[in-house]
Amino acid sequence: MNKLIIIVTLLLSSTLLAQTTEETTTETDTSNVEFYFVEGDSIARKAIFLDDVIVLGRVKFSDNDARRRYLILRRKTRKVWPYAKLAGERLVELNQRLDSMKSKRAKKKYTKIIQRYVEDEFGGQLKKLTRTEGQILVKLMYRQTGSTTFELIKDYRSGLKAFFLNTTASFFDISLKEIYDPKSVQEDYLIEDILQRSFQAKVLEPQDPAIEINFLELKNKWIKPKPTQGIK
């Protein structure tokens, strides 16, 4: 389980600080017509089109056991999501930084520096993850990077190292080759449902996935409508 820390620490620390900017809007009135200016855009707009929002109804459970399992999955998903989100961000930053370095020696030295930094910063927290939390993290890292943890280790360490890490993880019932497939795996769909609800409730900070996910289609597939009863 703890071997998973190697690739997580590699991704979490390509930079020490990440800055984000938020779009802000200002409103002005010209000839009784309201115009909006989006920061960074010099063109006035009469309207601002917002992204589609999926209305999520209450989760329905077949019994109390199903409800309990969902709540446990929600707790574990929310716990590991920040690591998966950081992994997605740091992978982009890491690749950009390594691409700017010409020598293999400089790349190797830089990789070791950031690995040591994150081991000190996050290692203790990652070691506390349970087996199921570790497997959820592996799935979410695939969601945010588009690669399995095995592939990430293979790319940034070596193929032999990836083989041994996967073998070690298998003793804990963790597969580093696991993908995130909410179209075919019900638990993955439930994880996606938890993420979407947590994003809307502002419990978790959202991040676009590296793989294609259409939650509306997933919802229509997994939540099948009940047969219509005949009208008497």
Side-chain angles (χ1 to χ4, degrees):
M1 169 59 211
N2 292 337
K3 297 297 184 179
L4 179 61
I5 299 175
I6 293 177
I7 187 61
V8 176
T9 56
L10 195 64
L11 296 178
L12 295 186
S13 60
S14 61
T15 58
L16 303 184
L17 296 174
Q19 297 180 346
T20 59
T21 58
E22 298 180 354
E23 287 188 343
T24 58
T25 61
T26 57
E27 180 180 330
T28 185
D29 186 1
T30 305
S31 301
N32 296 324
V33 178
E34 292 183 343
F35 290 91
Y36 298 89
F37 292 89
V38 179
E39 185 176 354
D41 192 348
S42 59
I43 301 177
R45 303 175 185 274
K46 293 184 179 180
I48 297 177
F49 297 96
L50 303 177
D51 295 334
D52 294 335
V53 176
I54 299 176
V55 179
L56 300 173
R58 295 184 62 182
V59 182
K60 297 181 179 180
F61 305 100
S62 58
D63 51 43
N64 287 333
D65 286 341
R67 180 178 183 274
R68 180 179 60 83
R69 289 193 298 270
Y70 181 88
L71 294 178
I72 292 175
L73 183 63
R74 184 178 69 177
R75 174 174 55 82
K76 294 178 181 296
T77 299
R78 287 178 173 179
K79 180 178 180 179
V80 303
W81 167 253
Y83 300 115
K85 179 177 179 295
L86 282 172
E89 295 172 351
R90 296 305 187 257
L91 180 61
V92 175
E93 297 167 354
L94 178 62
N95 286 334
Q96 291 176 345
R97 185 66 64 88
L98 292 178
D99 287 342
S100 66
M101 298 180 180
K102 296 182 180 180
S103 69
K104 292 184 179 180
R105 182 177 180 181
K107 293 180 179 180
K108 186 175 181 180
K109 182 178 180 181
Y110 174 72
T111 300
K112 288 183 177 180
I113 291 174
I114 62 174
Q115 182 177 337
R116 285 196 299 268
Y117 167 77
V118 176
E119 284 177 349
D120 293 339
E121 188 73 15
F122 301 101
Q125 301 175 41
L126 293 172
K127 289 179 181 178
K128 295 179 181 179
L129 297 182
T130 65
R131 179 192 63 81
T132 53
E133 290 168 350
Q135 191 65 79
I136 294 172
L137 176 58
V138 167
K139 290 184 176 184
L140 291 181
M141 286 180 64
Y142 181 86
R143 182 188 190 273
Q144 299 312 115
T145 66
S147 299
T148 66
T149 307
F150 181 89
E151 292 170 339
L152 292 172
I153 295 173
K154 184 177 180 180
D155 291 340
Y156 291 99
R157 304 284 289 196
S158 68
L160 186 62
K161 190 70 173 180
F163 171 78
F164 281 116
L165 287 177
N166 190 67
T167 303
T168 303
S170 67
F171 291 117
F172 301 93
D173 294 329
I174 296 176
S175 173
L176 301 183
K177 296 181 180 180
E178 191 80 19
I179 66 171
Y180 184 68
D181 187 13
K183 293 182 181 179
S184 305
V185 181
Q186 186 178 27
E187 182 181 86
D188 291 359
Y189 163 72
L190 292 176
I191 292 174
E192 188 63 31
D193 178 83
I194 290 168
L195 289 178
Q196 295 300 326
R197 292 176 186 275
S198 299
F199 295 158
Q200 287 198 11
K202 300 187 184 303
V203 175
L204 296 178
E205 185 177 352
Q207 182 187 69
D208 291 336
I211 60 176
E212 182 179 355
I213 296 177
N214 188 319
F215 184 68
L216 183 58
E217 291 182 359
L218 294 175
K219 186 178 179 181
N220 292 336
K221 174 184 178 180
W222 288 104
I223 303 180
K224 298 180 180 179
K226 296 180 179 180
T228 305
Q229 299 293 331
I231 300 177
K232 297 183 179 180

